[in-house]
Amino acid sequence: MAFKWFELNNWSIRYKLIIHFLLISILPTLCLGILMSWVVSGIVEKQVNSHTMQLIGNVNKSLDSHAGNIQNISYFISMNPDIQMFLKEGSSALDEDDERYRTSKFLQSFTTLYSEVAGIMVVGASGEYFSNEMYARSSSRSLTEEAWYQEAVKAKGIFKMIGHPSNRNVTTHANYKDSEVVSVVRAIQDPETQQTEGVVLIDLKLRVISETVRDVRLGKSGYLMVIDDKGDSIYAPRNSVVGGIDSELISPQASGTFSKAVGGQRLQFIYQKSPFTNWTTVGVFAVQDTVQEIKDINMYVVIFVFVVSMLGIAASYFLSHSISRPISQLASSMRKVEEGNMKIRIIGERQDEVGMLGRSFNKMLAQITRLITQVGEEQRQKREAELRSLQAHIQPHFLYNTLDTIQWLARKDGAQEATEMVESLSRLFRIGLSKGQEMIPLTDEFDHIGSYLKIQKTRYKNKLNYTIQVDDSCVDMVVLKVILQPVVENAIYHGIKERRGPGMIGIRASVIGGVLKLVIVDDGAGMSEERLTVLRAALENASSAGDRGEGLHSAGELSRNGSAVSYGLSNVQERIRLSFGEHYGLSIESKQNSGTTVTITHPVILRKGQSKHEA
């Protein structure tokens, strides 16, 4: 009992609302702050890596574009007729001034059109060469022995990026340093013999790469660098702390990331390799730059959590008071109603849920007052109905007692047929009354319909024949009383009576799928599809019509021959559905001149009252 105050159900609604608002405002904010602090480092790292990878991809596209231009130049040079003649015949092919001038202007056009080209040299297989800007340092060593020449021959006509030249026997008139140019080579092969006829050597100015890469900044101090397939630097900015990268750190995949400590500082490396140039562009930046961004974000999260918490506390007190006050007033009014004051009403024009509750409370009190009056009137009417029911029971009892007397007198006089008819009618009345019980044994129901058919058989003679079949599994069941007679009556008057010649009515009872099926089949006149549709719709609405105090007869639904459907059919449908639910009732199948089948679906109920199938 000492801890009863802490039980949530014992708290007032005001305190519950305060705790609720604090939980939904402050707790999610705290969880959000903790979650953001936990995942923000990964998110920022992914964003930085993604952004850096996009920048590297754009740089690679630009470098590939420049390399593509150089590749096209090498193709044009190898296809020039004068160049091909030079490669086949040597310098003698350019002895004439016009041919040499034309070839020189041809090569000069590329260096003029593409400013990134530092020089072009064409070297034949014999060691002779032709160039406007480049020449051999010494004639003692053939240019065909140069490493770049041999790499071009190995590539078999495929364009190849060499990188910075080193210790080669070639220089330029502009006297470019080896670190200021990048060499590109391509072997020219005879298309028939696939023999190398010569090599085109093109020097590309390094400023083309530096202009593409140097303007890209990664964070505060990050930068991009370009390395070749061996890990040697092609380009690195002046503030670079890494001269080259070990090729073992670069995975065979086209892109990736790794980190490494350099000079006491942890650096993050993001790289992407170009399949065209075979170069790798690497982004280098300090891990500390990312950590600082995370700290800034965490500071903003703390400020956000503090502000939201303060606003949540203030809002929780205000909202709890605005909600609990009208509810308390409503509770006070309800206590007065408990004391017997049914005239009290909630006054107010609120449009929220509390206002709606107050108006519903007023309507409820008015309804209760009306129902109290109605119940008193219904009790008075019930007593009158009980008196009328007693009078109604007296009359049938008197009637079938009189029928017993008539039966005895007819038997005494030898009128056997009249005796049987009076006996059937007497049994019909006894089972119909059933001592006021609504549920009767199924065997009594079939005795009832048997008596009815005997009476009708006496009337129609050979015009009417019938069969009755009851499965042994149905002997111990009970059903609503008098549900077969209205259906059979309908079959006689609208089916058998309307056909030519004798007719047959079959009645059988069986359990199918856990429910009791009572099937009434006649071979009478049947009905059209249109009238069957109307009859089905009328029976489907029977239960709702019964709730409104209307039967099918009063609704004016059409039967086979256009008259109103028997009130008995609607009564059976209403009684079954009101007793057991919409899953049970009557279903009808019929064809014109082919008879009608009516199936009554009834739950399986044993005599002791235990149901095997609930509605």
Side-chain angles (χ1 to χ4, degrees), residues 79 90 113 131 138 197 236 281 292 314 363 400 403 432 439 455 486 501 550:
M79 296 172 62
L113 182 61
S131 176
S138 172
E197 297 179 343
T281 305
Q292 184 60 42
K363 292 179 181 179
Y400 70 71
L403 289 173
M439 304 290 294
I455 295 172
E550 301 172 359

Side-chain angles (χ1 to χ4, degrees), residues 536-580:
R536 285 174 174 172
L539 288 178
E540 192 65 29
N541 297 327
S543 59
S544 60
D547 292 339
R548 298 190 302 269
E550 301 172 359
L552 289 176
H553 187 75
S554 62
E557 301 292 353
L558 296 179
S559 72
R560 299 180 180 121
N561 36 3
S563 61
V565 173
S566 170
Y567 177 78
L569 286 181
S570 67
N571 180 264
V572 172
Q573 179 82 328
E574 291 171 12
R575 288 170 59 209
I576 293 176
R577 289 197 169 183
L578 289 174
S579 299
F580 307 114

